[in-house]
Amino acid sequence: MSDELIIRAARDIAQAKKVVALTGAGMSVESGIAPFRGKGGIWEKYDPIEYAYIDTMRTNPGKCWILLSEMQKEILKASPNPGHLSLAELEKLGFLSSIITQNVDGLHHEAGNNNVIEFHGNHRVGYCMECGNRIKAEEISLETLPPHCDCGGVLRPDVVFFGEAIPHDALTRSNEDARSCNVMLVVGTSAEVQPAASLPGVARSSGATVIEINIEATSFTGHTSTYFIKGKSGEILPKIVDTLKNESANLTT
Ligand code: NAD
Ligand code: ZN
């Protein structure tokens, strides 16, 4: 990783009127939550079309819950890592306007960010597919799958399955933020899940600087991204925040 790129990112953030972050599963890998794709990814074990598709949830929820129960256990054990804490500090310092996250683990809120758009919902809450009763994930027993509500209906997490629409409000606000920001930080996302993957393109074509942070290049790299910082989000983001704090006088010119 190059120190020059860290300074460049800190300078771009310091000089921008509006900075937003788009985060993906890579952001939470250092908190112990497996990503979907890549090495150690959930999809090495489960085919998404079978296990995370809304039609399967309706016809064979026990199958979906094999994947969902693994995710639920990991999420309930996890806490924010230095990458999450750095984005919370960026917001507190007045540099970060919002986070659009594809993650369903709630770790940005837990780290202290207030303006978080949860594009794919939140796995820390579930609800009954019959009566709509809402329930905290820690109260959902995973002893027999699928878990049931007291009314006999099947419980599901409050996340967006493949085949389901993105909540209208999240989609509208995300597009608005992508269009109006001067800098978009794109952190730990493989750029493969639509429509979230279109947001960096919206930002770039509206004139924003798109700074990509990932352990490996993606289809954004060299095209949609203005520049790419290779490395773990839990290592790069703290360095950018430290530079912003220590060099603030030198970054605005
Ligand atoms: P993805 O799993 O498709 O890709 C993860 C990306 O993170 C990859 O590009 C990988 O190179 C990168 N990465 C891995 N470790 C990293 C690190 N330490 N620092 C920086 N980058 C790192 O993730 P996605 O693009 O977010 O899309 C998958 C979908 O899966 C999302 O829509 C989300 O809903 C869901 N998901 C969420 C969680 C979670 O909430 N933590 C976990 C798994 C999947
Ligand atoms: Zn019910």
Side-chain angles (χ1 to χ4, degrees), residues 49-243:
I49 298 303
E50 277 180 60
Y51 286 83
Y53 191 49
I54 188 57
D55 284 359
T56 315
M57 190 62 197
R58 292 194 183 113
T59 55
N60 189 358
K63 187 164 184 169
C64 289
W65 269 102
I66 296 172
L67 164 69
L68 295 171
S69 61
E70 274 196 33
M71 283 190 76
Q72 177 166 312
K73 284 181 206 153
E74 279 186 354
I75 286 170
L76 291 180
K77 271 195 301 204
S79 42
N81 67 53
H84 296 106
L85 297 172
S86 300
L87 290 184
E89 201 171 358
L90 268 189
E91 186 191 276
K92 217 171 288 151
L93 293 167
F95 289 117
L96 184 65
S97 162
S98 66
I99 297 178
I100 304 161
T101 189
Q102 298 166 82
N103 296 343
V104 293
D105 53 34
L107 290 178
H108 287 304
H109 276 123
E110 215 171 288
N113 282 94
N114 293 304
N115 196 5
V116 183
I117 301 170
E118 288 179 321
F119 210 76
H120 291 156
N122 191 325
H123 207 305
R124 288 178 187 259
V125 181
Y127 66 90
C128 171
M129 291 167 78
E130 286 299 324
C131 73
N133 189 34
R134 292 178 78 76
I135 178 168
K136 286 184 185 161
E138 53 261 47
E139 288 164 13
I140 298 178
S141 164
L142 300 174
E143 259 165 49
T144 50
L145 300 180
H148 284 88
C149 172
D150 291 344
C151 82
V154 172
L155 294 170
R156 60 167 281 178
D158 193 4
V159 300
V160 177
F161 284 71
F162 286 101
E164 285 190 306
I166 305 298
H168 186 259
D169 184 52
L171 197 56
T172 311
R173 285 169 62 210
S174 305
N175 271 303
E176 173 52 31
D177 279 354
R179 256 195 302 273
S180 58
C181 67
N182 310 102
V183 168
M184 178 178 272
L185 291 166
V186 177
V187 189
T189 180
S190 64
E192 285 184 30
V193 181
Q194 288 293 359
S198 67
L199 294 169
V202 172
R204 186 73 194 270
S205 58
S206 308
T209 300
V210 174
I211 307 170
E212 184 180 16
I213 300 168
N214 200 308
I215 53 167
E216 59 189 28
T218 70
S219 60
F220 291 139
T221 315
H223 303 278
T224 309
S225 310
T226 313
Y227 52 100
F228 173 65
I229 309 180
K230 188 175 165 74
K232 295 181 176 177
S233 48
E235 291 172 8
I236 305 286
L237 288 169
K239 287 188 186 195
I240 294 175
V241 173
D242 280 350
T243 308

